[in-house]
Amino acid sequence: MAGKDLPVSPLAVPLPEVPAIAGVSLGVIEAGIRYKGRADLTMMVFAPGTTVAGVFTKSRCPGAPVDWCRAALKAGRARALVVNAGNANVFTGKAGRDAVAATAAAAAELVGCKPREVFLASTGVIGETLPHEKLTAALPALHAALTPERWPEAARGIMTTDTFPKAAVRTARIGDTTVTIAGIAKGSGMIAPDMATMLSFVATDAKIPAPALQALLAKGCAKSFNCITVDSDTSTSDSLVLFATGQAKHPRVPAEGGAMLKDFARALDALLLDLALQVARDGEGAQKLIEINVTGATTARSAHKVAMSIANSPLVKTAIAGEDANWGRIVMAVGKSGEPADRDLISIAVGGTWMAKDGGVVPGYDEAPVVAHMKGREVEITVDLGLGRGKARVWTCDLTHGYIDINGSYRS
Amino acid sequence: MAGKDLPVSPLAVPLPEVPAIAGVSLGVIEAGIRYKGRADLTMMVFAPGTTVAGVFTKSRCPGAPVDWCRAALKAGRARALVVNAGNANVFTGKAGRDAVAATAAAAAELVGCKPREVFLASTGVIGETLPHEKLTAALPALHAALTPERWPEAARGIMTTDTFPKAAVRTARIGDTTVTIAGIAKGSGMIAPDMATMLSFVATDAKIPAPALQALLAKGCAKSFNCITVDSDTSTSDSLVLFATGQAKHPRVPAEGGAMLKDFARALDALLLDLALQVARDGEGAQKLIEINVTGATTARSAHKVAMSIANSPLVKTAIAGEDANWGRIVMAVGKSGEPADRDLISIAVGGTWMAKDGGVVPGYDEAPVVAHMKGREVEITVDLGLGRGKARVWTCDLTHGYIDINGSYRS
């Protein structure tokens, strides 16, 4: 976890330069919730009129902040976001609900809005009471120092076991106007998002009605955060929230969105995938990023399940850590998925080289290009089931000693 | 894998003394299939009239030997079993089917039976052609040296990554007659049996019609092998086969079994659970055996799913490896199961000490007894969902550096 001086993932990408987004000011502060000597409380304030969309964990045991956000989302309006790192405020009963209400009330008073216009997220240890009086005590100083420029600090402020901060920026055209989308994310372990990831916050200056914004976000999430896994463990705190401040001067977007948002949707999808892949690149202990393509499945949904079964297999992931293109374990993972598959039609390629075709090893198979590919930082696996036209692509990372090191002593 | 001189699991149990089972002779030989300097081919021959039952992997990509056994099982009769270690004969296409047919034919000729009365199993690397000519060449010498006493050698002969041989013995009464049941098993990784385990072979001198035998085996398997997991990866070769030689002199058992087999069923269930727990105790890299009890679920099926979600969570298993009673991760695993759960009703105990009740930490919770329990070799977790009367019990092991060591370089 942060503070343990984990080595930075070899798959890390540099933090991009994030421009100011009109209508957003943000900042961080050290509230001393759990970590010492680092900012752990992040705040964003949005211009009046900001619309909001969100997708959250499908866990049956979500954290109190997730419950709060789901309820707040109904009105489709947002004025502030408060995020703390180090304590997830999950499985904390009434104390958890009280903490959420107190934090929202304190932030609302500073911003001059309703508590229900404040969005909240917490990440860190589960099952310990959140000392929310530390949050509320730190909020006035935090609020007083917000500026439009502090995206890099925010990207760092929400980290837990992450080894590098994660942000992404895209621009898009709505009519003749250029709008900007910026986002940050955190996540490294307990990553098997089920409608969202650990935490990701995205803002744009576009003016988009909440229903259209929600539709775009759900669609983009399905192709990005829902296609990554680190360890098959779905977090209780997964939250992806998108804020649209409406400061850009473009023609009016109808509630249902439509053709006008085509380029915006493209840019949003690209940004969400960028952030999701950064999370996979920072998977706990990751040494290799793995892309898994499944084709020839009976349906796209079936292809996704097969791909996820491969991506979540400890035996596939340890084989890749050992730079072993062990296709037998891939066959095993296809078989255990329970999805339609015919052993004798399956073909498997690694790094573009077909190792197995139609249920057996390729005659005269030359291992050399596969061995070379396995030594790289990015490993690509393709499985063709030979049954239909369903396809899917997911990403994961390898399973190494680093994962055991990090998670065998997380709380200590 | 065997031959790598893995340290013996600290959870190992001694090999019991296995008596001769009337109507069974067995032995092992070094066929040089993959391993050097150890027996890798095991044979059992059964008296004429032996009935048989089996349960096999639900993998959609089973090995050729599994296909063979499923077909052979239809007649309900067995005269021989041939098992090789080192090569699973899975994903080997026509060559795999040819290997199976050739091996069965060679064994049948030696024994003087039909090929379909020969049962086969292979375990080891997936996706490599089985050099079955090495098997058939070794069979005559193996067959010539079979004796009723060689159960310990057979238990060792079927091992792959196992660090200790696994066997179990029970006796039961049918009428006034005592019958004996003996079994061996192998398995250490790729363990998430779905109707069976890796490999387990059980024999009894009882005379039980095949339909009754099959019903007993399926029932016993559901409470034993289907309640263990090491790494969530279901093998393509899982096979559990039970042979009844009919040599014991007890009253005739009807086809449907019934009350007469009550004590036999009890003994068989105990033997299967004994073997299954030995597999969990030998989980790759295991340092601790973990028992997970789930109560208060809406149904038994739901309880089983929740228990397996906890047992398969890498974050729960690494926490236990680190001797950390991290109940937050248990809550996470309950939540991700997708089964009915109400966060605010969940209670969690470790080693009999309730840490969390009704959705939050127990007031005045004293960690001392839990910390002491976590340091032991056997860890017991109880989760009460507070919803209904469904309950389940499953077993797993912790996830340690040993698992990564073993599986990051299996084929090398």
Side-chain angles (χ1 to χ4, degrees), chain B residues 187-348:
Chain B
S188 184
M190 206 180 275
I191 299 289
D194 197 4
M195 278 316 285
T197 183
M198 290 294 286
L199 298 182
S200 182
F201 309 104
V202 182
T204 176
D205 55 347
K207 187 176 178 69
I208 302 180
L213 204 62
Q214 182 67 36
L216 290 177
L217 189 65
K219 212 169 159 191
C221 179
K223 291 180 284 186
S224 57
F225 287 114
N226 278 2
C227 294
I228 61 165
T229 180
V230 168
D231 53 11
S232 80
D233 277 343
T234 300
S235 166
T236 49
S237 304
D238 290 345
S239 301
L240 165 61
V241 190
L242 167 59
F243 304 93
T245 65
Q247 302 296 297
K249 304 295 171 206
H250 55 72
R252 194 171 164 280
V253 173
E256 69 281 9
M260 215 176 152
L261 291 181
K262 197 175 165 192
D263 192 54
F264 183 87
R266 174 204 54 74
L268 179 64
D269 287 356
L271 176 134
L272 295 175
L273 184 57
D274 186 340
L275 289 174
L277 288 183
Q278 290 187 50
V279 172
R281 284 178 171 275
D282 204 6
E284 287 171 340
Q287 295 291 314
K288 292 176 193 288
L289 179 70
I290 307 168
E291 177 181 316
I292 298 164
N293 290 284
V294 172
T295 58
T298 51
T299 64
R301 188 183 157 85
S302 177
H304 182 79
K305 282 193 180 175
V306 170
M308 276 297 196
S309 180
I310 298 168
N312 279 323
S313 161
L315 287 171
V316 169
K317 291 154 77 93
T318 48
I320 291 171
E323 304 187 341
D324 176 8
N326 188 322
W327 74 83
R329 295 184 183 177
I330 298 171
V331 174
M332 176 280 299
V334 172
K336 82 163 177 165
S337 74
E339 290 300 307
D342 180 335
R343 182 186 62 204
D344 297 332
L345 294 177
I346 296 173
S347 301
I348 298 171

Side-chain angles (χ1 to χ4, degrees), chain A residues 75-271:
Chain A
R77 299 273 162 184
R79 289 298 312 284
L81 168 74
V82 178
V83 186
N84 74 273
N87 182 314
N89 190 17
V90 172
F91 206 59
T92 44
K94 187 173 176 302
R97 293 188 288 275
D98 291 347
V100 160
T103 307
E109 193 175 329
L110 289 166
V111 175
C113 67
K114 297 179 196 158
R116 281 297 186 191
E117 293 172 316
V118 178
F119 285 73
L120 301 170
S122 297
T123 176
V125 173
I126 296 173
E128 297 188 3
T129 301
L130 177 67
H132 64 270
E133 56 293 342
K134 289 188 183 174
L135 268 73
T136 48
L139 276 178
L142 172 55
H143 179 254
L146 302 180
T147 78
E149 285 80 34
R150 301 181 66 194
W151 284 93
E153 292 97 313
R156 286 190 189 91
I158 63 174
M159 287 164 60
T160 55
T161 55
D162 304 64
T163 72
F164 65 92
K166 301 168 185 70
V169 184
R170 293 292 187 283
T171 56
R173 303 281 286 182
I174 300 181
D176 290 332
T177 309
T178 297
V179 300
T180 307
I181 317 173
I184 57 176
K186 64 117 336 196
S188 184
M190 206 179 276
I191 298 290
D194 198 5
M195 279 315 287
T197 184
M198 292 294 286
L199 299 182
S200 181
F201 308 104
V202 182
T204 176
D205 55 347
K207 187 175 176 71
I208 302 180
L213 204 63
Q214 182 67 36
L216 290 177
L217 188 66
K219 213 168 158 192
C221 179
K223 291 181 284 184
S224 56
F225 287 113
N226 279 3
C227 293
I228 61 166
T229 179
V230 168
D231 54 10
S232 81
D233 277 344
T234 299
S235 164
T236 49
S237 303
D238 289 346
S239 301
L240 165 62
V241 191
L242 166 60
F243 304 93
T245 66
Q247 302 296 297
K249 303 296 172 207
H250 56 71
R252 193 169 166 280
V253 174
E256 69 279 12
M260 215 175 152
L261 291 180
K262 197 174 165 193
D263 191 56
F264 183 88
R266 175 204 54 76
L268 179 65
D269 286 356
L271 177 134

Side-chain angles (χ1 to χ4, degrees), chain A residues 355-378:
Chain A
M355 310 167 68
K357 278 228 170 197
D358 304 327
V361 65
V362 168
Y365 161 60
D366 171 19
E367 208 175 26
V370 171
V371 168
H373 180 76
M374 295 298 297
K375 290 190 189 301
R377 286 288 179 199
E378 304 194 5

